[in-house]
Amino acid sequence: MLDQGAPPQEQRTAAPASPGVAARLMRRKPVERLVAEGGQGEGGSLRRSLGLWQLTMISIGATLGTGIFVVLGEAVPKAGPAVTLSFVIAGLTALFSALSYAELAGTIPVAGSSYSYAYATMGELIAWVCGWCLLLEYGVSVAAVAVGWGEYLNELLDGTIGVTIPDALSAPPGDGGVFNLPALIVVLLAMAFLLGGAKESARANTIMVCVKIAALVLFCAIGFMGFKSGNYAHFMPFGMAGVSAAGATLFFSYIGFDAASTAGEEAKNAQRDLPRAIMLSLVIVTALYVLVAAVAVGARPWRKFNDSEAALARIMTDVTGQSFWGTLLAFCAVIAIASVVLTVLYGQTRILFAMSRDGLVPKVFAKVHPKTGAPRANTVIVSLFCGVLAAAIPLGQLADATSIGTLFAFALVNVAVVVLRRSRPGMPRTFRVPLSPVLPALGFAFCVWMMGSLSAVTWVVFGVWMAVGLVFYFGYGYRRSRLATSADVAVAAEK
């Protein structure tokens, strides 16, 4: 009973207190709200136009790029002919995280990828950290991949018309170049496709992916003509230590399979197709990697790989005795890198779109053009930033830090799938990670192990990047978060 002598205002029921700092940082966004907001932007909505085929091609496009054209020459000297096992081990390592991505992509089919998964399971601060890591992974990797495009373009020009772009305008800044014009051009070309809409850019990507798959199949057909079983005589010259060392190097050739998860709000049937696209793309890429590696080692003694970044082109030239095939492969490498730039740039814009919609970054990144259904301002800003970064700024250790950002995001996804299983066990799932929580735990452990193998300088760069991200979050996102402000409005209404 109320005290009859108390002032009227004291007889009222006390209003709920505003949530404290810790509660705000740990506030989770309900899965239902994430899904309900899917596609909604400022002034328009993303269009659902992508089917299973296009989603699979997006993942393959982001994964199958410079890795197989370059990294094979780095991995073979570490493992010898057993590099084929290294590809399998790296593929299995990627598989653990891919399984977790597949379950969450089918359960929470939104554009934010692991950022959104973390928001639904571990709270706003962890989601911000994950999103900030994704900005590092996608944004800087676009620039890093674009830098290499000029090198392959020069090889193609030299082999066809005998003319090359001067180093000052084609080499990486800090490595003999002043302004990498081809890097800027390939990013702007990708931007042009993306501005046309998801369907149009997916069509262009599909054509480019088919070209580079055909090139690798052609390599296998030609390389097999020079296959010598004697090259496999000493299969594992450095033992399992060499196989695992090469596997750690090759793991980063698989990064990109998660790109399909950023298309969750533009897929026709996201809950069904996203898990399938992620798993199918990983199977196709792994099969191609193992087949190409097996043929390459069979056609060229493994000790001759240590002096070549363009190993595949040299093998085709050696087997046929004609330089035409090397030039053809350079052309395919140009297409392959362009496809990676396109799909990774696409993923970057969609992650920023989701973060902007949540209020953690400025609203301009969530504005959707009503005619094309694409976030135009977002695409232009991100493209210009990545293009200038690639063309004019030495990336150095920042490019290496993309690996640690990727692994950190992968680790969080493996945690998120277990958390969501425990917090929402009855939620419909179109795909389930088998043997959970064992496989997610293995995925988490492998990611942590690979992070630990990176250099101290990479960790320092990563630490600085995270510090900058936290400053931005507490200076902007913490106060403007839509989830936090909507809760504050509800509390104020009750007072």
Side-chain angles (χ1 to χ4, degrees):
M1 181 178 294
L2 294 173
D3 182 357
Q4 300 298 320
Q9 65 271 22
E10 293 182 11
Q11 296 181 20
R12 298 172 185 165
T13 302
S18 296
V21 174
R24 262 193 170 187
L25 297 180
M26 297 302 294
R27 182 180 282 113
R28 293 178 291 181
K29 189 172 183 179
V31 174
E32 291 78 11
R33 181 170 172 177
L34 278 166
V35 176
E37 292 179 352
Q40 299 177 16
E42 296 285 335
S45 300
L46 301 178
R47 296 176 181 174
R48 294 192 177 276
S49 58
L50 305 179
L52 175 61
W53 173 250
Q54 290 93 340
L55 293 170
T56 304
M57 291 299 103
I58 287 174
S59 277
I60 295 177
T63 309
L64 191 64
T66 54
I68 191 60
F69 291 99
V70 176
V71 80
L72 187 66
E74 301 173 6
V76 171
K78 297 179 180 179
V83 71
T84 51
L85 288 182
S86 300
F87 270 111
V88 173
I89 291 173
L92 288 174
T93 303
L95 176 63
F96 293 134
S97 294
L99 290 169
S100 294
Y101 264 100
E103 177 169 329
L104 291 174
T107 308
I108 314 175
V110 292
S113 186
S114 51
Y115 154 77
S116 295
Y117 309 152
Y119 212 163
T121 57
M122 290 176 280
E124 186 171 285
L125 179 61
I126 300 299
W128 168 263
V129 170
C130 185
W132 193 247
C133 286
L134 291 175
L135 297 186
L136 180 66
E137 172 193 350
Y138 281 81
V140 180
S141 63
V142 166
V145 171
V147 165
W149 193 72
E151 300 174 16
Y152 283 102
L153 181 63
N154 262 341
E155 287 188 27
L156 176 62
L157 293 174
D158 185 42
T160 52
I161 59 177
V163 176
T164 59
I165 303 172
D167 287 347
L169 294 177
S170 64
D175 191 23
V178 177
F179 189 87
N180 194 325
L181 184 61
L184 178 60
I185 290 174
V186 71
V187 174
L188 294 180
L189 287 173
M191 180 188 74
F193 281 116
L194 292 175
L195 289 176
K199 186 176 181 179
E200 290 70 19
S201 55
R203 184 182 294 118
N205 173 67
T206 298
I207 294 172
M208 289 188 282
V209 169
C210 289
V211 168
K212 58 186 176 182
I213 289 178
L216 292 176
V217 172
L218 177 64
F219 166 80
C220 291
I222 293 176
F224 191 75
M225 292 189 298
F227 192 93
K228 298 178 181 178
S229 58
N231 289 338
Y232 280 89
H234 302 287
F235 183 70
M236 200 179 295
F238 304 109
M240 279 306 300
V243 173
S244 61
T249 299
L250 294 171
F251 172 78
F252 303 108
S253 299
Y254 289 88
I255 291 174
F257 65 80
D258 57 317
S261 64
T262 66
E265 296 174 24
E266 290 162 289
K268 295 177 182 178
N269 190 338
Q271 290 183 310
R272 182 196 68 186
D273 291 341
L274 286 180
R276 295 181 180 181
I278 291 171
M279 300 309 300
L280 185 59
S281 64
L282 188 61
V283 169
I284 292 173
V285 168
T286 302
L288 279 171
Y289 281 171
V290 172
L291 181 61
V292 169
V295 172
V297 174
R300 184 183 180 95
W302 68 269
R303 291 182 180 84
K304 294 185 178 181
F305 278 81
N306 58 359
D307 62 343
S308 175
E309 289 188 350
L312 302 188
R314 293 193 180 186
I315 289 172
M316 294 181 77
T317 300
D318 291 345
V319 171
T320 62
Q322 300 176 9
S323 61
F324 165 78
W325 298 106
T327 302
L328 177 62
L329 204 68
F331 167 75
C332 294
V334 168
I335 299 297
I337 295 175
S339 175
V340 174
V341 171
L342 175 64
T343 50
V344 176
L345 193 63
Y346 168 84
Q348 172 74 97
T349 60
R350 271 43 180 187
I351 290 167
L352 274 170
F353 174 86
M355 296 176 73
S356 176
R357 186 173 55 201
D358 291 333
L360 300 183
V361 298
K363 290 182 179 180
V364 65
F365 292 102
K367 288 183 178 180
V368 177
H369 193 273
K371 183 177 180 181
T372 62
R376 278 195 169 183
N378 181 344
T379 301
V380 171
I381 293 170
V382 171
S383 299
L384 292 178
F385 175 81
C386 292
V388 172
L389 185 67
I393 300 175
L395 296 178
Q397 291 295 326
L398 186 59
D400 295 336
T402 59
S403 300
I404 198 169
T406 303
L407 289 168
F408 189 85
F410 282 10
L412 288 180
V413 167
N414 284 295
V415 174
V417 75
V418 175
V419 171
L420 195 61
R421 282 277 192 102
R422 293 182 179 275
S423 62
R424 302 290 300 275
M427 178 176 290
R429 290 169 169 83
T430 55
F431 178 85
R432 285 178 173 268
V433 179
L435 302 177
S436 180
V438 176
L439 293 187
L442 286 173
F444 177 83
F446 272 107
C447 289
V448 173
W449 170 65
M450 289 194 173
M451 288 172 68
S453 67
L454 296 172
S455 68
V457 175
T458 301
W459 275 95
V460 170
V461 172
F462 181 67
V464 172
W465 176 260
M466 296 312 303
V468 172
L470 290 174
V471 169
F472 187 91
Y473 170 71
F474 284 107
Y476 184 92
Y478 175 77
R479 295 180 292 108
R480 298 173 181 265
S481 164
R482 286 186 61 194
L483 193 60
T485 53
S486 62
D488 289 343
V489 170
V491 170
E494 295 178 9
K495 291 184 179 180

